[in-house]
Amino acid sequence: MSSSLNDRLKELETIEGEIAQVVHNAGKALTEFAKEKPNERTMNSNVKSFIKSLESVENNLTRQINYLSQVASGQPHEGSSYSAQKDAQMAIHRVENAKLKLLGLKSICET
């Protein structure tokens, strides 16, 4: 695997850990909220932690989705050979088409 792919996988693993943290923070906030006499300071702190971790996950997932959108649309990006492969494939098709036309001209000239 390329290092770029390894880096992407590591980033996704990090995001997975951040998602677990979001769930943990949400649980802490809900636990405090469910108490008969919730501590407002603790509840606010837990809610702020939840929102902060949720925003981090959202930003990181958005960055990953934008990267995937760029890859899927064929725009040039770091680490991809899709565009070059597509160009090479099209060049091969053009050469084959030119070869067929030349063979057609050759047969006309020989008759």
Side-chain angles (χ1 to χ4, degrees):
M1 273 196 282
S2 70
S3 75
S4 178
L5 179 58
N6 285 334
D7 293 342
R8 290 279 168 200
L9 291 174
K10 286 178 186 175
E11 287 178 33
L12 290 173
E13 286 177 9
T14 300
I15 293 170
E16 184 178 16
E18 290 175 350
I19 291 171
Q21 188 64 43
V22 167
V23 172
H24 177 74
N25 289 338
K28 284 176 31 180
L30 289 173
T31 299
E32 186 64 33
F33 183 72
K35 290 181 179 176
E36 190 171 316
K37 290 187 177 186
N39 181 321
E40 191 172 333
R41 181 182 291 174
T42 303
M43 192 169 56
N44 285 337
S45 174
N46 289 339
V47 168
K48 285 180 184 179
S49 294
F50 166 73
I51 291 171
K52 183 179 178 184
S53 58
L54 185 62
E55 287 173 345
S56 176
V57 167
E58 181 181 18
N59 291 336
N60 289 331
L61 284 176
T62 299
R63 194 172 62 248
Q64 293 294 324
I65 290 168
N66 288 340
Y67 171 79
L68 291 173
S69 295
Q70 189 179 30
V71 172
S73 67
Q75 295 177 5
H77 61 283
E78 185 179 317
S80 173
S81 62
Y82 176 77
S83 180
Q85 289 173 347
K86 184 109 172 134
D87 289 345
Q89 210 171 31
M90 293 302 290
I92 290 170
H93 288 296
R94 287 191 299 272
V95 167
E96 289 173 358
N97 191 27
K99 183 178 174 183
L100 288 173
K101 288 184 179 191
L102 288 173
L103 287 173
L105 286 173
K106 178 183 175 187
S107 68
I108 291 172
C109 291
E110 289 178 348
T111 53

